[in-house]
Amino acid sequence: MTERLVLPSDEGHLHLLRRWLFFAVSALGIAGAFAFLAVLTRTPAVQILHSAEGLHRAIAGHVTFSLLVWLLAFEAVLWIVAAGPAPDRRRSWWGLGLMVAASGFLIAAVLSGRGVPILTDYVSVVVDPLFFVGLLALAVGVGLVARDSVRRTSGRSGLLSHGMRCAGALAALAVAACLVTLVRLGA
């Protein structure tokens, strides 16, 4: 039996899905704003930020929102679609609230001028407790949605359900690897 992707017809489920989609697209908009800020720091006639650190902060914000927040938010959208309608959506709403709060922490940490931006090949960070609180809230928020989706698709067969379960397991593994790294670094 083949599994088909069916968009929800339940109004509550559609409302939740629209909010998550709006958040995901907003994350791309924020990433674009940070990219524009980075461009303005290097434009000779403008030079909004006069130091290389300002450029690095803008790049760190851009990379964080375009590679992490956007992708995790859109993955949450896919998990919500795969899980299907449910009478209790509290975990998904809590996850969205945590992701929005996390975004606020990340933006505040990048724009505050505190901490040192570190540009890496993957997720660039600003070494500031506020930034790390934002990353933790981001992980917990998406983890709530992933857990809910994995639990709701566990009895189903089909490629979509299997793919979403695998994505949830990989997300949990990634969070566990980050926690092990933090513990080993003594943070």
Side-chain angles (χ1 to χ4, degrees):
M1 182 169 134
T2 60
E3 183 181 26
R4 295 175 43 158
L5 177 63
V6 178
L7 290 178
S9 59
D10 173 28
E11 192 58 42
H13 197 170
L14 272 173
H15 182 65
L16 176 66
L17 192 58
R18 283 186 196 117
R19 294 296 172 146
W20 270 101
L21 277 171
F22 179 76
F23 175 71
V25 172
S26 297
L28 278 181
I30 293 168
F34 278 125
F36 187 67
L37 183 62
V39 167
L40 289 180
T41 64
R42 306 315 298 165
T43 304
V46 180
Q47 287 189 342
I48 289 178
L49 304 172
H50 299 290
S51 69
E53 185 175 309
L55 172 67
H56 293 161
R57 285 181 180 287
I59 291 172
H62 168 71
V63 168
T64 300
F65 275 90
S66 62
L67 290 181
L68 191 63
V69 178
W70 148 253
L71 286 174
L72 290 177
F74 197 73
E75 181 66 25
V77 168
L78 295 176
W79 278 322
I80 290 168
V81 170
D88 183 20
R89 298 179 189 90
R90 281 183 288 174
R91 281 190 187 93
S92 296
W93 281 109
W94 274 99
L96 179 60
L98 279 170
M99 294 274 285
V100 169
S103 296
F105 290 140
L106 294 171
I107 292 169
V110 170
L111 297 178
S112 71
R114 298 182 334 213
V116 178
I118 298 176
L119 304 179
T120 64
D121 288 337
Y122 298 101
V123 177
S124 301
V125 298
V126 176
V127 181
D128 181 30
L130 195 57
F131 193 88
F132 292 115
V133 166
L135 289 179
L136 180 64
L138 200 68
V140 172
V142 79
L144 286 172
V145 180
R147 180 186 179 276
D148 203 35
S149 175
V150 168
R151 187 176 54 84
R152 288 200 178 127
T153 59
S154 63
R156 298 186 200 159
S157 62
L159 187 59
L160 178 66
S161 296
H162 178 70
M164 292 296 102
R165 282 193 304 273
C166 288
L170 289 173
L173 185 62
V175 168
C178 288
L179 291 175
V180 168
T181 302
L182 284 174
V183 169
R184 290 196 60 160
L185 289 175

